[in-house]
Amino acid sequence: LNGSNRNISVGMGDTINLSGRMITRAAGYLQLYLDRVLVNYTGNYVTNVSVLNVEKRYNVSLVYNATQNYSAWMETLFADVVDTTPPGVHLNSPANSSTLLASVGFLFTPFDNIEIANCSIILDGRLNTTKDVSRNVEDSITIAGLVEGQHNWAVNCTDTSNNSIVNETLRYFTV
């Protein structure tokens, strides 16, 4: 897997080189399987370049069937595909420089290539409230009892692979 003879981990969407060769040239051929599906077979050297887009453990097997001079042989390795992409979040409301009452509804839309575990409101630089949310769906968190003055807010979202991100631009509002 990627030129090694060991299990590997790769990110979702990464290219992986599946290959194998016979040390001693022999009659017969090698078969290369990815999750029990034959992807290539040939004489002494077999290869396949794949892009793995699903987060899971892939079974990669190299098989040599018995001939009159050689015994059958099989080796299996695993490629673990993990998500490394952090989610993003759009801040929908309140708009920057808004003047609001002491109870504020914060609207935001998280997005990612996998499901979102939760999002948190960061108010004035501190974690305030966290809730479970869905990917690509506008959500809201209301915070009451804000004191008069200028405040800032951001949103931190974490996906189900534990990747997280805080939106890069703070929004400001006045109560």
Side-chain angles (χ1 to χ4, degrees), residues 6-23:
R6 66 181 195 283
N7 299 331
I8 63 170
S9 290
V10 296
M12 284 177 57
D14 288 350
T15 300
I16 183 170
N17 181 6
L18 315 172
S19 60
R21 67 178 174 89
M22 286 191 269
I23 296 171

Side-chain angles (χ1 to χ4, degrees), residues 98-102 104 123-124 146-152 172-175:
S98 296
T99 300
L100 306 167
L101 300 175
V104 177
L123 184 62
D124 297 328
L146 295 174
V147 297
E148 287 186 15
Q150 187 178 50
H151 299 276
N152 64 66
Y172 293 88
F173 65 95
T174 303
V175 172

